[in-house]
Amino acid sequence: MTIPDFQTLMLPVLRIAAEDEVKISEVVEQLADNFNLSSEERSQLLPSGRQITFANRVHWAKSYLGKAGMVELTKRAHFCITDRGREALAAPPERIDIKYLNRFPGFQKFRDADAEEETGDMTAPFPVDNTTTLTPDEVMRSAHRELEVALADEMLQRIRSGTPAAVCGPQTWVT
């Protein structure tokens, strides 16, 4: 099995929060069990090597639910469901994802503020892809990787098409 994306984790995170106040690390472990993740999947790190991929995705799911007002932080590393979250579970959707969360003004405000920060323009809407399965961290890392590959390719092309003097610069020979 592959590690579920953060949007797939939103509804399961909300369901666990409905039981009582929960600690995020316990939610990570319970969901890893529920999704039957292997030990390799449970320990797979993000490219930075600083955080476990699955835990990162659970944290993003909880964060997005919080921005929509469906869960609230109660103390460090703990959260619980809100009335809005309970209403959602009373007639649960098949899936909670960004498209679903967009119906809540708090989440829209969060996305609008995020878009404004990205574009630096309060009038231009930021294109939001509601179908992405990647966390914001993963989107940035992927874009960074693409830029590095493009830059490396461009540098190789310039080196291959240039003269030695253009690549190395003029040489001053000392005798």
Side-chain angles (χ1 to χ4, degrees), residues 51-97:
Q51 191 175 17
I52 294 172
T53 300
F54 184 70
N56 177 270
R57 291 179 182 177
V58 173
H59 280 267
W60 277 109
K62 180 204 51 98
S63 177
Y64 272 49
L65 290 169
K67 298 298 182 186
M70 300 178 89
V71 298
E72 64 184 359
L73 299 177
T74 54
K75 58 186 174 187
R76 182 170 162 72
H78 290 75
F79 65 100
C80 66
I81 195 168
T82 63
D83 290 339
R84 178 176 288 164
R86 286 189 215 307
E87 289 170 15
L89 291 181
E94 211 174 284
R95 173 179 166 95
I96 293 179
D97 54 18

Side-chain angles (χ1 to χ4, degrees), residues 6 56 60 64 110 114 134-142:
F6 82 107
N56 177 270
W60 277 109
Y64 272 49
F110 158 70
D114 210 24
L134 302 175
T135 67
D137 279 344
E138 292 168 330
V139 170
M140 289 188 314
R141 290 177 202 290
S142 176

